[in-house]
Amino acid sequence: PAEARQGKRIRREAQPAHWFATVSCVYMLLRALALVVGASASAEINCTFAPNECPGVSWDLTPLQQLTHSADLEVAAAAGEVPDEHFWLGVCRSPIEAGQCETLSNISDPAGLQVWRSEAGGEECAPLGSLSTAAWSMASPGNEAEGVLLSFSGGAAGRSMVVRFVCDKSIPKAVLTEATGGSLKYNLTVRAAAACPVGRCTASAGTRHTFATLLAEQEEIRLLYFEQRAKTYIEEVLVPALGISVFYYVMEFAWARRFRDQGAAGRGQIHFHLLGWLESGEPHHIISVGNSRDSVVVTPLE
C-alpha cells in the first residue's frame, strides 16, 4: 500500500544518519578485527643477518619487524600502465593487508603485496614472493655501507621481490621510499636508522691466508705493486719536496723463486736507488739537518 510504502520510506529517511553510522561502525570494527587477527596470525622469519664473507659486520632488523606488527610500510609505484599501483611490505613478516585480499594464489606466507585497481573499479592484489624463500645477501660484497638485500621468490604468477635495506640515521622509524621493476620482478627500498649495520666488514682469517698465499706464489705481482708505489712516491712526493727536475731510478730485488732455484743471486729485499738533479743545482737543505748526536754536513762540489 502507498501508506506503507510511504511510511517505510519515511522511516528510512528519518534515521539515515544513525543507520549509516551503525553500519560504518560495524564495518570499521570488523576491519580492525580482521587486521588484528591477520597481524597475530601473520607469518614471520628471523630478521638478523651476519654475512660469512664479512665476519665483523651484522644486521638486526628486529626493530623494523616489530614496527610493522601494527602497520605495514606502503609506497605508491611510479605512474605507469598499472592503474593506482602500490605496494605493501611487512619487514620479515607477511603484510597485515594480506588479510584483505580475497585470494593469495595459495600462498599462505606472502612476503609483500602488489595492489592495483581492477577494470571493474575494485582492488586486486598479488603476493610478491613467499617468506619461505627468503635469502639474505649484501648489496655490495665487502661494503656494508651499501646495505643488505632480502630476496623472495615464488609469488603469484612467478612474481619475485628484492628488498634493499639502507642505513639512514635521519629516519628514526622506517620509510618504504621506492618500488621499481616490472615483468613480475620488483625492487623495493627501505630506509631507516634501524637498518644500519653493526661493526665493519673485515676479511676473515681464511681470506687473509688465501690472499697472502697468492702473493707469495705470484712474486711478479708484488714487484709490480712495489714499482707502482715507488714511482708514485717519487713523482708525487720526492720531486716536488726536493725540487728534482730530472731523475733516474733502478729497482733491485731478489730474483723470482724459479731463478733462485737455478742458483741466481738476488739483491735482497726489494728497493730502489734514485739519482736526481735538483733544479737549484745545490744540495737540498734537509741534507744538512741532523740530530744532536749525528749531524751530517755535505759540501757542494766545485
Side-chain angles (χ1 to χ4, degrees), residues 46-99:
N46 180 40
C47 217
T48 60
F49 174 59
N52 294 328
E53 63 268 31
C54 289
V57 68
S58 63
W59 282 267
D60 184 0
L61 304 183
T62 304
L64 296 182
Q65 184 181 41
Q66 296 173 346
L67 177 66
T68 56
H69 277 181
S70 56
D72 297 330
L73 301 180
E74 180 189 11
V75 65
E81 299 179 356
V82 182
D84 296 336
E85 181 185 25
H86 55 281
F87 298 85
W88 295 93
L89 179 69
V91 178
C92 298
R93 66 191 312 280
S94 293
I96 299 174
E97 286 293 325

Side-chain angles (χ1 to χ4, degrees), residues 188-204:
L188 280 64
T189 301
V190 175
R191 295 182 177 274
C196 296
V198 177
R200 299 190 62 182
C201 190
T202 57
S204 64

